[in-house]
Amino acid sequence: MDESFLLMLSNLLHLHNTLDPTTSLISSPSTPSVSSPSLSSPSPSSLLSSSSAAPLLFFTLASLLSFLASSKPRKLNPDASSNNNNTTNPSDNSVPPAASDNPAPSDTAAFSVAAFRALSTEHIWSLEAPLRDAHWRSLYGLSYPVFTTVVDKLKPHITASNLSLPSDYAVAMVLSRLAHGYSAATLASRYSLEPYLISKITNMVTRLLATKLYPEFIKIPVSRRRLIETTQAFEELTSLPNMCGAIDGSPVKLHRIPGDQTGGNLYKCRYGFPSILLQVVADHKKVFWDVCVKAPGATDDATHFRDSLLYNRLVSGDVVWDKVINIRGHHVRPYIVGDWCYPLLSFLMTPFSPNGAGTPAQNLFDGMLMKGRSVVVEAIGLLKGRWKILQDLNVGLNHAPQTIVACCVLHNLCQVAREPEPEIWKEPDENGSPTRVLENEKSFHYYGSSLRQALADDLHQRLSSR
């Protein structure tokens, strides 16, 4: 029987004995059952015929409380919640609730605020760290310490929004959607909330990640310490000096095809599915230091790059990289590398030939350049492998860019925290064609062409003499 009901029943007995001490509803625990009739339990008829209103009042209230207790849903035991979530019994082979896209109605209690609070406060710290973090990662895509970091940074902004749900609960809900690609309808049934509220919370949290946390976790490497660390790491990987990043574009598949009124054909990428284009620049640790989501999927990489803030800052000289080396009489500042879909510029090196038709020095340079470029390909594969919503983006088109950027911020958090890397999402093979140089880029192109040849000749000489 429910403990709260027993407590209320005890209080009512005490109230009855106070109001009508001449009539006892139950035998006194300290009195034998063969005691005098005045102390024994009366018959129902005698109770109803009592001159006092107390017995009738008691039975009326007791009946009401009994009905409420029997109709009240059972409280979820925190230990049971933990067991359902596969935390206290590592050998249990049952599927955790987050692994099912269509949970049974009886499982929804495991996602209540009370169950989440029981798991995320006292119980989670009773687990061994590897088990704790592996479990949390399976639910929300990152370990518990990284999760608390995200919550701590977003909590002031979520609190200011007057959301009726706890901040950590709301963040966990959104992270589970990003990590597993759940739809708003699926999460609504799981958390017993309305789908519109799930969408509202998702939009709020992803917007905060894409705006409030972006400046802290996605930064161009302009400080000398970080610039030296990055260029030295790339040189160890490729033997090319002063490389500071690799750029690439990737179409993010949209779950719904935009209607004709939004120009649906503009969103069909070169692989045939509707998408929005993501452009990133990554360093040697596969950490993004620039992210741009501004173009529909049919846009080519060069056009998207030219429309980005990074391109405009590099062309205008707004980004100052205070590290210059001399290669065969050429002053080489830090540069990024990309494939032949990007224009050759003084700050962006591309291969000489997409099919190995260059000189030995040029082909060697191309091989090393593509080796450096591989870090951004792997970074995008990790991004889509860790945040599966990007494999089939099921949010509104207006909220798609901020959702993609939010996932990039979370990716950086995981890389900096050295979270285990998931299985890499395999992108389709790229088959773009070399881009043409615009009129206003010719000076950057000519200087870049001269720098590229100097780098290729220097690389060939150094490696040939070993």
Side-chain angles (χ1 to χ4, degrees):
M1 188 178 293
D2 189 89
E3 292 182 3
S4 60
F5 171 68
L6 289 175
L7 179 61
M8 288 186 287
L9 184 62
S10 174
N11 291 336
L12 280 173
L13 287 172
H14 179 72
L15 174 63
H16 168 267
N17 291 333
T18 303
L19 294 175
D20 189 8
T22 62
T23 305
S24 176
L25 294 177
I26 58 175
S27 298
S28 173
S30 60
T31 306
S33 59
V34 292
S35 58
S36 62
S38 62
L39 297 175
S40 61
S41 293
S43 66
S45 60
S46 65
L47 287 173
L48 293 176
S49 62
S50 171
S51 60
S52 171
L56 186 58
L57 175 64
F58 168 78
F59 277 109
T60 302
L61 291 176
S63 299
L64 177 62
L65 292 173
S66 179
F67 170 75
L68 293 175
S70 62
S71 61
K72 180 180 178 182
R74 293 183 61 188
K75 254 185 181 179
L76 182 69
N77 189 324
D79 293 333
S81 166
S82 304
N83 289 335
N84 287 340
N85 282 296
N86 241 6
T87 56
T88 59
N89 186 7
S91 62
D92 187 4
N93 293 323
S94 60
V95 178
S100 171
D101 196 46
N102 296 297
S106 59
D107 291 338
T108 58
F111 296 93
S112 66
V113 175
F116 176 79
R117 185 63 66 245
L119 177 63
S120 64
T121 53
E122 67 275 5
H123 181 75
I124 194 71
W125 294 109
S126 67
L127 301 174
E128 294 292 333
L131 179 62
R132 174 198 70 198
D133 292 337
H135 172 65
W136 210 261
R137 206 174 285 119
S138 71
L139 295 176
Y140 308 118
L142 35 71
S143 64
Y144 190 70
V146 180
F147 169 80
T148 58
T149 299
V150 176
V151 173
D152 290 343
K153 291 182 178 297
L154 295 184
K155 188 173 183 178
H157 307 291
I158 296 177
T159 303
S161 69
N162 296 321
L163 182 68
S164 58
L165 294 173
S167 300
D168 53 353
Y169 185 68
V171 171
M173 188 188 308
V174 174
L175 290 180
S176 69
R177 184 177 184 186
L178 300 180
H180 298 280
Y182 297 137
S183 65
T186 297
L187 282 187
S189 64
R190 173 167 296 183
Y191 288 90
S192 299
L193 297 171
E194 293 297 325
Y196 85 90
L197 185 57
I198 297 291
S199 296
K200 179 181 177 181
I201 296 171
T202 302
N203 294 339
M204 177 185 66
V205 172
T206 55
R207 185 186 72 251
L208 292 174
L209 286 167
T211 55
K212 303 300 182 181
L213 267 61
Y214 183 99
E216 181 177 354
F217 292 100
I218 300 181
K219 298 178 181 179
I220 297 176
V222 291
S223 69
R224 187 164 183 82
R225 181 191 61 80
R226 186 182 171 198
L227 199 57
I228 291 175
E229 176 192 351
T230 303
T231 55
Q232 286 181 347
F234 271 116
E235 187 166 2
E236 291 176 6
L237 176 66
T238 66
S239 299
L240 291 172
N242 248 15
M243 184 189 302
C244 68
I247 187 171
D248 199 15
S250 175
V252 177
K253 183 180 179 182
L254 297 173
H255 184 69
R256 297 181 184 87
I257 300 176
D260 292 338
Q261 68 274 15
T262 59
N265 289 334
L266 294 175
Y267 288 86
K268 187 172 290 187
C269 69
R270 57 183 176 269
Y271 305 119
F273 53 80
S275 65
I276 190 168
L277 197 58
L278 164 67
Q279 173 189 287
V280 292
V281 183
D283 66 12
H284 60 289
K285 295 179 180 178
K286 291 169 276 193
V287 172
F288 302 132
W289 57 253
D290 187 77
V291 176
C292 178
V293 186
K294 295 185 67 174
T299 310
D300 62 85
D301 288 343
T303 301
H304 193 201
F305 173 59
R306 288 166 174 144
D307 195 35
S308 67
L309 177 61
L310 176 64
Y311 173 85
N312 288 286
R313 293 188 66 185
L314 291 172
V315 168
S316 65
D318 182 47
V319 178
V320 179
W321 279 320
D322 187 21
K323 185 175 183 289
V324 184
I325 60 174
N326 189 290
I327 301 292
R328 293 178 174 255
H330 294 80
H331 296 292
V332 181
R333 294 186 178 276
Y335 55 89
I336 58 179
V337 297
D339 61 18
W340 46 86
C341 296
Y342 290 92
L344 171 64
L345 304 168
S346 58
F347 47 78
L348 173 54
M349 295 288 108
T350 61
F352 284 93
S353 171
N355 53 16
T359 66
Q362 292 173 346
N363 290 339
L364 176 62
F365 174 87
D366 287 354
M368 291 302 186
L369 181 145
M370 297 303 285
K371 191 174 182 180
R373 177 185 171 273
S374 66
V375 299
V376 71
V377 176
E378 291 181 15
I380 293 173
L382 290 175
L383 172 73
K384 292 186 177 182
R386 184 176 276 131
W387 308 109
K388 294 182 176 59
I389 194 172
L390 299 184
Q391 298 175 16
D392 191 14
L393 194 58
N394 53 16
V395 301
L397 185 60
N398 291 338
H399 298 110
Q402 72 181 36
T403 304
I404 297 171
V405 175
C407 290
C408 291
V409 172
L410 293 170
H411 166 86
N412 276 10
L413 267 165
C414 292
Q415 290 300 110
V416 171
R418 297 185 178 181
E419 288 281 278
E421 294 183 349
E423 184 178 354
I424 293 178
W425 170 259
K426 183 72 169 87
E427 292 276 272
D429 292 333
E430 202 154 1
N431 52 7
S433 56
T435 186
R436 65 184 184 88
V437 178
L438 301 181
E439 188 67 30
N440 63 334
E441 295 174 337
K442 286 189 174 179
S443 61
F444 295 102
H445 174 73
Y446 291 145
Y447 191 52
S449 180
S450 177
L451 289 178
R452 182 175 64 175
Q453 189 61 56
L455 288 168
D457 293 339
D458 178 71
L459 175 68
H460 188 261
Q461 181 182 10
R462 284 188 289 112
L463 296 187
S464 299
S465 61
R466 288 181 182 178

